[in-house]
Every structure is written in structure tokens, then in C-alpha cells.
């Protein structure tokens, strides 16, 4: 079968070679121009537009026709620029060949003008993305840009390959274009560490491996062995060349033999590099898997960012593996052998013997009980998971020689260890000689201080500014490769400007990689100088800069040594200037923080940081108190628990005790005492016992798994079946189920309704269990009202939601719901009546949590109370609920929105009261109406309630069945719930109309309205006035009605209003007395109209009386004026006379 497929492929390849050879011969001849060619602008513009759209099979015939009939001489440059745009849309093989034919036609007509311009344009379309532009992009944007570039260049590369085979593209005259294609691919594949151009090579080899590389598929029985080496492909393929008929002689090949050999070696070399990268990524993935396993053992879970990084690494590895497999199949080379992990059990799953070798002795167990050297997993990953530059940067750039690398590192490590041990030995002797008690300690400290001062005077006699550390001696390093002329100084400047924005691990790691490519002695000096000049207010950058130094320090040790020397020099200078407190406070903070972070990255030698501890302890006063606290907070925990330094720093615990003793002997302010206490307990926290995990039986774990994990809308039937299969006769199983079903707050809030549905389904088979669940839920509601603990609020919300869902599924009656609602607004208040701004111990005026509970219950089951007596009960409660809200302090915005939404959902037309007076009046009116209205009997109320509930969905049982089961349930053991007082009256005292009277009244009223409306359309205004006067009761009838009302006043109850209805049969009017309930709409409207008429009458009466009084006052005023005038005249007349 494989042989037949190979033969078919050879036949197809032979047909393609013949077709290409014919077109190549045709392209060697120049096309003959016709006698008359069209030069219209319109047709030329249409042709260029059509070429830009596509030069595939769809437009091929029309474009070829236009090429033969148009002049085109003035538009050669535009056509050459439009061809690459049209090639991008050629996805299929037939489209690629059509584009080749179109370009060949243009080449035959204009070989001098068109072809060079086209080759230049195609070469520009196949260049890789500039490195500087990619470096400035974010990783996600860079990946998208590279993917878009590959999509654009894939069809262009295929068309260029065809043009090289048919003689349009040539490197030199007389030679094929294979050299040009090889150069383009070499440029794309080189300097591509991310292998983003690998799909282009795969596309090229799928279609052109035979003409450009001379590859033929080997025989199935003679496959190349896995032990074959890359680079021996040509010798192995020649051994099997007789397995299939040759496609042609060497003279008939479209690409020269030497070009094929060089092309083949280039592809084999690239495959070799890809295979090495695959093996490296495979090892990295296994290492990351091992780290995840260790992290899972330590913390019991895999953190989200670690899991995302692992998934991303796995995705990239799978993508690389697929590409490598494709290359292996196309080049007929074996895949590299991937090393398998020696510890197969160390996966992300929990191992059998995990954690058995974590600690070796009691000291380790003690330290582990009080916490590790890292506060959390995130901090551990930041300081320990440092990338290795060798994985992403070539070794030649890093200056690593594989042969001498390990020996050099071993020598350096041994020398460092010797120096550190000598320094530590001296410091331990000095620490052992410290004496705190008595005046000797003070004298010793004073003597040391004098010695230090003398040294300080010698070092800095004039008190100059901070000295610049001297340039360290140049270490012997291999010569770094010379950079390409792309402006490394400018690139380094851009990198240093961008460093303050690198505030996460990925950005700072990318910056380290970019600096590695710019590595030089001058660049390292600039970096060290930049790191020593961090702004004083940007201490948040110091951990990230420390990570940058730690990443580079492995291959560029002079960066770490120079930076540590500069920080040590700055620390010594600050010790000399310790009397300057405020001015250097931020500089001290920056210095200590930088040194602490570098210590945790193992860049600062341990003996150096211990010397700083000693200096601060010798002069334990002033700024050294702050310095010591900062050192302890920064790296004390790390040094005390690090495997490499805990033995070496065995005296550190005694140093901490020494610090405590000195603190007790000296007088510090409250700030310094607090700083020292925090630093001490952060570095050496007190021992604490590990938290004991609760042990659960397998059956409990299974039930919890079903309810908390499996329960969903689609799986509720499955969960029900599994729960029914449990042993319901076992009391322990019943107890487990009862515990799970009575704690709805442990579920997702959206699954509370499913838990209620599950309880309803179990009620059919285990009614006692459902009753016990309901009883416990009601007890939890009551307990929440009595205790009112803030930490239980979330549980109370879920329990209230659960209670409403239980009513939806008919596990409780509406009476229990209304009891709960009234309890929420009255419990704890004096006599069950809230008072404005009255402090209640369990329901303070500023506590609106009960309002939230009421809204939750109304949102859950309030829509069911929309008819019958339940509607009236809910309306009464809503009136009191608004009064309850206004009795508290002004309601917050969120609670107000919740109340508004709840009321709009169940009573959209209800208008909210605004003031407490209106709410109190509404409550008084509600109480008065309830007192006046004759209450229904218990039998009628229960029947009406059950009738309303029977209309809800999921109703398969009658209320009578529930009433029958109630005496046997545990609910009967509870005390009776507080219910409103119900007045039961006899049927004789109810003077309201009977059902027959109501029906007859409605019939007569409808007839009267119909007759009146018909007559009103027939008569004019004068006739209508006559009809109105005739409709008024005659005086005799009116007097008789008043007498009857006075006589029957004792019979008619206060809740009854008497109406007189006029009927007319022929020309005779008849009056009939009707007793209407006072709460009916007709009576209420009539009473309102009467009161309004009375108010208007009183208003008119007042206006009339006021008018009469004003008239009388005006008359009296006029009389007085006339009298005064007469009096004045009488007095003047005698004088004149």
C-alpha cells in the first residue's frame, strides 16, 4: 500500500516537472506584441485593481487576456507592486499555479522592466520581522504579529518557489533561482529563537522537497534507522534510488545538483537544531512537572499561575513536537530520542511516599512547624524559579565554554566557601565575645565605637558626599562576540528606560534576555551604575532588579560583585553619617531592602550580611535599630531556615536573643519597640501546631461529593437515585444526610433550589427525614434572630433562600412563611412593635440585615401570594414592612435598591410611603380595617390557602395529606408559632349580602349601566337633565329610607353600608335597600366622595362666612370714617365763624 502511494506521488511529481519545464522553455522566449494594443486608462485601472484582489484561478483568464491586449508600459511599477498583494490570496495549489502563469506572461512581455521590480517586491515581502520592533512588543502581541506574518508569507513563498523553477527568478544568468530561495529561507530561519518561521519551511518542503532538495521517498522495507546521523541523508537516499523509477536525468532537473546538496544540508542542520530544542523543552517540561509535584506535596494544591505556566509550556512543547515530527517525515529523518524521567511517579498527582524525606532531624521539624523560609508559594517561586539564560541565549553570546564550564564553577565555589567560612569563624568569635550586662559591655561598645570612629576619620576625614565605588578589577572572561551594527548602545538605552516599568516576573526575565544579547563590559558597567541610582521612592522595584541581577549573575558575575560592593560601600558611608537621620532615612531603607533581596537571591555572600548584623548590634541605638529591624524583616527568616546557611548561622538565634536582651536594657520609643517586635517574630515566629484535618468516613465523603460537587440540573435524577440506594435504616447515614441537607450555605447559591427539590423528592420515600430538615431550618432561622452574629450573615441568607425554596416545593405551608416574615420585623422589639430609632439589642436602628432577609424571602416565594387571602396577608405585611424600614436610620442605597426591586417584582403598582407619619397612618388604617372586617373562619382560610397552593407547579399532593401527616411529624413537638388574633363570629352576625344577592346585584347593575349608556346616546342635554332629576329619590322615599336606617341601626354592623338602588319598570320607580360591606370598592369610593363633598361644602361655607364678615367690617369701617369726618367738620366751623 505504501509503495502504491509512493508511485502515485512520483507520477504526480513527474507531471508537475513536465508542466514546469514547458513553462520554463516558454519563458525564455520574449512574447510578440500585437499590432494594436489598447491604452485606455479605464481598462488599465481595472486590471491593476483585479490583480490586487487576486491573481488566482478565478481572475486568471481575464488577467491573461488583458496582459495580451493592453499596452501596460506606463503601469509596470504599479503592477509590480500589486502582484504581491494578489499573491497573498492564493491559498490553493491551483491558485498558486495560476499566479505563476500570470507572472510568467508579464515576464515574457517585460523581462527588463517588470521582472527586477517584481523580484525586489517579493524579496521585501519575505523578510523577517525586525528584532527591535519585536523586542518592544508584549509577548502576546509578539506572538500574534509573528503568526500574521507567517500567514502572509506562506503563499508568497510558494509562488516564489514556482517562479524560481520556471525561470522567472534567477540568482545569476544561466543559473536557476534555487540559490535565491535558499537565501530567503536562510534569512527567515536564522536568528529565530522562537521558531516562528518553522511553518514556512514545513510548507515549502511539502510541495518542493523533490525539485529543490532532490528527495525521494525511501522504500517501506528500507526505512532509515534511528541510529542514522543528520547529514548522511544524501548517502542513504542513494542506496534506495533504485526502489522507484527516477523522475529524470540530472540534465532534466530544474535546480542544479550542487544547489540541491547545499539546500539539503541546510535543512538537515536546521532539523538538528530543532531536535535539540525539542529535547531541551522536553527536559524543562519534566522539570516543571517535578516542581509542581513538590509544590503539591508542600501546600496540597497547585496554584493558578503555576498551573497556567505549566499548561502554556505543555502547549508550546506539543506544538514544537508536532512541527518536529512533520519535519522528520518530510526530510525522512528519525526523531530524536526523548529522555524519560527516572521518577515516573513524581507527577502532579499525590505520590505514595510523598514528604518522607522533607526533614531529617528535629531542628528541621521545629522550623517547619513554625513555617518555611518563604511566607507563601508565590514568594518561593519569585526567589527560586529563575530562568537559565542558556535555554534562550546562545552559549557564544554568554561566553560559556562547555569543556571548562563545570571546572571553573567548582573552583569559584570552593574559593567562595573558604572565604565565607573564614569570615564566619571570625564573626562567631566576635559575637561570642559580646557582653551586654554591666558597664563592661558599655565600655566595650564604646571602645569599638571609638575604633570605628578612628577608621571613619581615616577613611573620610572631611565628611564629603557619598563616594563613588571604585571600578573593580576586570575579571578574566572569554571574549564576547561583536554585535551586528544595529546600535547596541541605543538598544541598551531603550532597555534601561524600560526597566522601571518591568514590575512582574515575565517582564524582568525578558529584560534579562535582552540584556544578554547586548552583553559587553561597557553595558555591564552601565547596568550596575543604573541599579545603584534607583529613586528613593521606588523601593517596589528593588525585588525585580534583584531578580534581574540574580539571572545575569550566573554568567556575568562582575555585575553581582560590583553591585554588592557599591551597596556595601553605601552602607558603610551611612554608618559614618548615622547622626543624619531624616535626610538619609529613605536612602537607608533603599540600601537595606536592596541588600536583603539580593541575599535571598544568594547574590550577597552570607558573611557580608552577618557582618552588617554585627555592626548594627554593636551600636544598638538610633538608626541602627531601624536598620536591624529592616534586615530581620527582609532576610532574617531566609537565613534562619535556608538549608545552606542554617548550620553556618547557628549563632543567629543567639544574636536574636542578644537583641532582645539589649532591647530590655535600653529605652526605646514605642515605634522602635513595635518595629523590633514585628521583625523578631517575622524572622522567628512562635511555634504552632499544625492544623488537624477533620477525618470523615467514606460514606460521608461520598454524600458530600454528591451534594457539593455532582449536584446540578442535569444530574439531580442521578443524585436522587444514588441517595435512595443508601442504607436509610442506619442512624449514622441519616445523621450525615441531615447535616448536609440542613446546611445550604455550603452549596453554591444557585444550587440551593436544587437542594430543596431533592428534599421534596426524598419526601415521597422518607417523609420523616423531610420534616426533620424543615424543622431544623426553622430552628436555624429562629437562632439567627436571637443571636444576630455578624459572621453568620451569609449562612442566614442561604438559609432564608432555602426556606423560600422549601415553600415552592410544598414542603411547608404559607403560614410558616408569613410567620417568618412577621418574626423578621417584630422579633426582639418591645411588645412586637418597632419604635422609631429605638435601640433593640438584636436589631439596632442602623442594622439593615433583616431587611435583606425579608427581600431574599420575598424574591424567592413572594410571587406565589397573588390571589385569595394570601394576597391580602402579603399586602398587610408590606404596609408594616415599610413602617419597619422607616423606623430605622436612613436606609443605605444598596438596601433601598434591594427593597425597590423586591416590591416591583411582587407588587409593581404599589407606591412606597416617604415619611414615617404616612407609614404609621397606613399601619393604623390596616389595623382598623382588620379589626372592623369580619375574619373568615379557620376552615375557610385553610381551604382557601390550600386552593391557592394547589395552583402552583410541582403540586402532586393535597393540603389535606399534609394536615393528616402533621401530628406524626417532629414539627408538632415545637411550640406554637405566634399568630395574629382571629375573631370567629357566628354566621347570623354576618349581615353581609349572600352569594345570590351579589349575583342579582351584579346582573341588575350591568343592566342599569347598559340602559343608561344606551339612553345617554339618544337624548340631548335638556332631556338628560330631566332624567337626572327623575333619578333622584322622591322626598317620601328619602324620608322613609332615613327612618329605616335609624330603626335598623342596631341591626346593621359597623362594617356594613346601606345603599338604595333605584330600578324602573315602565313608568314606576322602585327603591331597594342593599347592604354592602364597608371594605368593598363601591363603599370606599362612596365614602370618599361623601367626605370630599363634605370638605368642599365646609370650604364654601367658610368662604361665605368670611365674605359676610369682611362686608360687616367694611361697613363698620365706613361708619367710623364718616363719624370722624363729621366730628372734624364740627370743630372747624366755629373757628371760621
Amino acid at each position: 500500500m505504501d509503495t502504491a502511494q509512493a508511485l502515485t506521488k512520483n507520477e504526480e511529481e513527474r507531471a508537475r516537472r513536465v508542466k514546469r519545464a514547458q513553462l520554463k522553455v516558454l519563458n525564455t522566449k520574449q512574447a510578440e506584441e500585437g499590432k494594436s494594443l489598447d491604452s485606455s486608462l479605464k481598462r488599465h485601472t481595472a486590471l491593476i485593481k483585479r490583480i490586487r484582489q487576486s491573481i488566482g484561478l478565478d481572475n486568471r483568464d481575464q488577467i491573461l487576456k488583458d496582459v495580451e491586449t493592453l499596452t501596460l508600459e506606463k503601469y509596470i511599477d504599479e503592477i509590480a507592486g500589486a502582484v504581491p498583494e494578489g499573491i497573498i490570496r492564493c491559498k490553493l495549489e491551483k491558485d498558486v499555479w495560476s499566479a505563476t502563469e500570470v507572472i510568467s506572461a508579464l515576464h515574457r512581455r517585460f523581462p527588463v522592466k517588470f521582472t527586477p521590480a517584481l523580484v525586489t517586491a517579493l524579496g521585501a515581502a519575505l523578510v523577517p520581522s525586525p528584532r527591535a520592533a519585536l523586542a518592544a512588543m508584549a509577548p502576546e502581541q509578539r506572538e500574534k504579529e509573528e503568526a500574521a506574518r507567517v500567514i502572509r508569507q506562506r503563499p508568497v513563498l510558494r509562488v516564489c518557489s514556482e517562479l524560481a523553477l520556471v525561470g522567472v527568478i534567477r540568482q545569476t544568468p544561466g543559473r536557476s533561482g534555487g540559490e535565491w530561495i535558499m537565501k530567503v529561507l536562510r534569512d527567515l530561519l536564522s536568528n529565530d529563537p522562537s521558531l516562528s518561521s518553522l511553518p514556512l519551511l514545513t510548507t515549502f518542503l511539502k510541495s518542493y522537497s523533490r525539485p529543490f532538495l532532490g528527495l525521494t521517498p525511501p522504500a517501506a522495507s528500507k526505512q532509515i534507522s534511528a541510529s542514522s546521523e543528520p547529514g548522511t541523508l544524501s548517502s542513504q537516499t542513494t542506496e534506495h534510488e533504485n526502489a522507484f523509477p527516477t523522475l529524470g536525468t540530472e540534465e532534466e532537473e530544474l535546480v542544479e545538483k550542487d544547489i540541491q546538496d547545499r539546500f539539503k544540508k541546510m535543512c538537515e542542520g536546521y532539523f538538528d537544531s530543532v531536535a535539540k530544542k525539542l529535547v531541551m523543552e522536553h527536559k524543562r517540561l519534566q522539570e516543571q512537572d517535578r516542581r509542581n509535584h513538590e509544590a503539591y506535596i508542600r501546600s496540597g494544591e497547585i496554584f493558578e499561575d503555576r498551573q497556567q505556566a505549566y499548561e502554556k509550556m505543555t502547549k508550546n512543547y506539543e506544538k514544537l513536537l508536532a512541527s518536529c515530527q512533520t519535519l522528520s517525515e518530510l526530510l525522512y529523518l528519525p526523531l530524536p530520542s526523548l529522555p524519560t524521567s527516572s521518577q515516573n511517579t513524581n507527577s502532579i498527582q499525590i505520590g505514595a511516599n510523598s514528604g518522607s524525606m522533607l526533614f531529617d532531624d528535629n531542628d528541621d521539624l521545629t522550623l517547619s512547624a513554625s513555617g518555611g523560609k518563604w511566607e507563601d508559594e508565590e514568594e518561593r517561586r519569585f526567589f527560586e524559579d529563575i530562568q537559565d539564560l542558556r535555554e534562550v541565549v546562545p552559549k557564544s553570546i554568554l561566553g560559556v565554554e562547555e569543556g571548562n564550564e563545570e571546572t571553573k564553577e567548582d573552583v569559584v565555589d570552593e574559593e567562595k566557601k573558604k572565604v565565607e567560612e573564614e569570615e564566619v569563624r571570625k564573626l562567631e568569635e566576635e559575637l561570642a565575645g559580646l557582653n551586654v550586662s554591666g558597664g563592661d559591655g558599655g565600655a566595650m561598645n564604646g571602645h569599638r565605637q571609638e575604633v570605628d570612629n578612628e577608621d571613619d576619620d581615616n577613611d573620610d576625614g572631611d565628611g564629603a558626599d557619598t563616594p563613588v565605588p571604585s571600578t573593580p578589577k576586570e575579571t578574566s572572561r572569554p571574549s564576547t562576540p561583536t554585535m551586528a551594527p544595529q546600535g547596541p548602545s541605543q538598544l541598551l538605552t531603550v532597555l534601561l528606560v524600560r526597566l522601571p516599568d518591568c514590575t512582574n516576573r515575565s517582564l524582568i526575565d525578558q529584560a534579562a534576555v535582552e540584556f544578554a544579547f547586548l552583553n559587553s563590559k561597557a553595558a555591564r558597567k552601565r547596568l550596575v551604575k543604573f541599579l545603584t541610582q534607583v529613586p528613593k521612592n521606588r523601593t517596589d522595584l528593588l525585588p525585580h532588579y534583584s531578580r534581574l541581577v540574580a539571572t545575569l549573575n550566573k554568567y556575568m558575575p562582575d555585575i553581582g560583585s560590583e553591585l554588592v560592593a557599591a551597596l556595601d560601600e553605601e552602607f558603610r558611608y551611612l554608618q559614618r553619617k548615622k547622626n543624619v537621620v531624616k535626610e538619609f532615612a529613605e536612602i537607608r531603607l533603599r540600601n537595606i531592602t536592596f541588600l536583603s533581596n539580593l541575599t535571598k537571591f544568594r547574590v550577597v555572600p552570607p558573611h557580608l550580611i552577618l557582618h552588617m548584623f554585627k555592626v548594627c548590634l554593636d551600636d544598638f541605638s538610633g538608626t541602627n535599630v531601624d536598620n536591624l529591624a529592616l534586615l530581620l524583616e527582609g532576610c532574617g527568616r531566609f537565613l534562619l531556615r535556608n538549608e545552606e546557611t542554617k548550620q553556618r548561622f547557628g549563632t543567629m538565634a543567639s544574636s536574636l536573643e542578644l537583641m532582645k536582651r539589649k532591647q530590655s536594657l535600653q529605652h526605646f520609643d514605642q515605634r522602635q519597640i513595635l518595629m523590633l517586635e514585628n521583625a523578631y517574630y517575622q524572622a522567628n515566629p512562635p511555634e504552632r501546631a499544625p492544623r488537624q484535618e477533620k477525618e470523615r468516613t467514606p460514606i460521608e465523603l461520598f454524600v458530600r461529593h454528591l451534594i457539593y460537587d455532582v449536584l446540578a440540573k442535569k444530574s439531580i435524577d442521578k443524585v436522587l437515585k444514588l441517595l435512595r440506594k443508601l442504607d436509610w435504616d442506619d442512624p449514622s447515614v441519616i445523621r450525615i444526610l441531615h447535616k448536609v441537607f440542613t446546611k445550604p450555605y455550603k452549596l453554591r447559591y444557585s444550587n440551593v433550589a436544587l437542594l430543596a427539590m431533592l428534599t421534596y423528592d426524598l419526601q415521597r420515600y422518607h417523609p420523616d427525614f423531610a420534616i426533620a430538615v424543615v424543622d431544623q431550618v426553622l430552628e436555624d432561622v429562629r437562632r439567627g434572630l436571637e443571636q444576630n452574629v455578624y459572621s453568620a450573615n451569609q449562612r442566614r441568607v442561604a438559609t432564608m433562600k432555602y426556606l423560600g425554596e422549601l415553600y415552592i416545593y410544598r414542603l411547608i405551608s404559607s403560614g410558616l412563611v408569613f410567620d417568618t416574615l412577621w418574626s423578621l420585623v417584630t422579633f426582639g422589639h418591645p411588645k412586637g412593635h418597632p419604635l422609631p430609632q429605638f435601640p433593640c439589642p438584636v436589631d439596632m436602628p442602623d442594622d439593615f440585615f433583616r431587611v435583606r432577609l425579608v427581600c431574599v424571602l420575598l424574591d424567592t416565594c413572594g410571587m406565589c401570594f397573588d390571589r385569595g387571602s394570601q394576597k391580602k396577608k402579603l399586602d398587610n405585611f408590606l404596609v408594616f414592612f415599610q413602617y419597619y424600614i422607616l423606623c430605622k436610620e436612613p436606609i443605605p442605597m444598596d438596601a433601598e435598591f434591594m427593597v425597590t426591586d423586591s416590591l416591583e417584582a411582587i407588587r409593581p403598582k404599589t407606591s412606597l410611603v416617604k415619611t414615617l407619619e404616612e407609614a404609621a397612618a397606613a399601619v393604623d388604617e390596616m389595623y382598623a380595617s382588620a379589626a372592623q372586617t369580619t375574619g373568615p373562619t379557620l376552615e375557610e382560610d385553610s381551604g382557601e390557602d390550600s386552593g391557592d397552593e394547589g395552583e402552583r407547579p410541582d403540586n402532586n399532593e393535597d393540603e389535606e395529606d399534609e394536615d393528616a401527616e402533621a401530628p406524626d411529624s417532629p414539627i408538632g413537638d415545637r411550640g406554637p408559632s405566634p399568630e395574629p388574633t382571629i375573631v370567629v363570629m357566628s354566621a347570623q352576625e354576618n349581615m353581609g349580602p349572600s352569594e345570590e344577592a351579589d349575583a342579582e346585584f351584579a346582573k341588575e347593575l350591568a343592566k342599569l349601566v347598559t340602559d343608561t349608556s344606551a339612553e345617554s346616546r339618544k337624548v340631548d342635554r335638556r332631556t338628560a337633565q330631566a332624567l337626572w332629576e327623575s333619578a333622584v329619590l322622591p322626598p317620601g322615599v328619602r324620608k322613609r329610607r332615613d327612618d329605616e336606617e335609624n330603626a335598623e341601626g342596631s341591626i346593621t354592623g359597623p362594617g356594613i353600608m346601606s345603599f338604595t338602588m333605584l330600578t324602573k319598570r315602565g313608568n314606576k320607580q322602585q327603591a331597594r335597600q342593599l347592604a354592602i360591606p364597608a371594605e368593598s370598592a363601591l363603599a370606599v369610593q362612596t365614602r370618599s366622595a361623601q367626605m370630599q363633598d363634605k370638605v368642599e361644602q365646609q370650604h364654601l361655607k367658610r368662604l361665605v362666612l368670611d365674605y359676610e364678615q369682611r362686608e360687616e367690617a367694611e361697613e363698620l369701617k365706613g361708619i367710623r370714617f364718616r363719624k370722624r369726618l363729621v366730628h372734624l367738620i364740627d370743630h372747624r366751623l366755629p373757628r371760621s365763624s
Side-chain angles (χ1 to χ4, degrees), residues 699-700 702-704 706-708 719 722-724 726-728 730-743 755 758-759 762 766 769 773 802:
I699 188 66
E700 184 177 1
F702 176 69
V703 172
R704 291 169 62 90
L706 288 180
I707 302 301
Y708 298 153
V719 173
L722 292 174
L723 291 179
R724 288 184 58 196
L726 298 177
D727 186 9
W728 285 84
D730 189 357
S732 62
V733 175
I734 299 295
R735 184 170 59 255
I736 292 171
L737 290 171
H738 182 269
K739 185 187 300 183
V740 173
F741 274 78
T742 54
K743 294 181 179 180
L755 187 64
L758 204 59
T759 309
L762 289 174
H766 308 282
F769 172 76
V773 169
Y802 191 35

Side-chain angles (χ1 to χ4, degrees), residues 153-287:
Q153 292 180 348
R154 183 181 284 117
V156 178
L157 180 61
R158 295 181 65 182
V159 173
C160 289
S161 302
E162 292 287 352
L163 294 177
L165 293 175
V166 299
V168 175
I169 297 178
R170 294 177 179 272
Q171 184 70 17
T172 57
R175 299 277 289 180
S176 66
E179 188 80 23
W180 190 88
I181 296 295
M182 184 171 61
K183 181 178 179 298
V184 168
L185 280 175
R186 186 189 298 115
D187 293 340
L188 287 172
L189 299 177
S190 61
N191 297 326
D192 184 22
S194 61
L195 302 181
S196 56
S197 299
L198 182 57
L200 295 176
L201 180 62
T202 303
T203 302
F204 175 78
L205 291 177
K206 284 181 180 179
S207 303
Y208 306 103
S209 61
R210 174 63 188 87
F212 283 97
L213 278 70
L215 295 179
T216 55
S221 60
K222 297 182 180 180
Q223 290 290 327
I224 299 174
S225 63
S227 61
S228 61
E229 296 292 336
T232 62
L233 180 63
S234 57
S235 60
Q236 293 187 7
T237 53
T238 55
E239 297 176 1
H240 310 294
E241 61 182 1
N242 297 326
F244 297 94
T246 58
L247 298 178
T249 62
E250 185 175 351
E251 291 77 11
E252 295 177 354
E253 291 290 342
L254 300 177
V255 179
E256 292 79 2
K257 182 64 175 176
D258 60 334
I259 296 179
Q260 288 183 351
D261 294 339
R262 286 191 289 134
F263 217 143
K264 193 185 310 178
K265 290 181 180 180
M266 185 192 77
C267 293
E268 289 176 0
Y270 185 74
F271 175 77
D272 186 17
S273 63
V274 172
K276 290 181 179 179
K277 186 173 181 62
L278 177 65
V279 174
M280 187 182 301
E281 290 294 327
H282 181 73
K283 292 180 180 179
R284 286 185 59 197
L285 187 63
Q286 287 185 335
E287 179 67 20

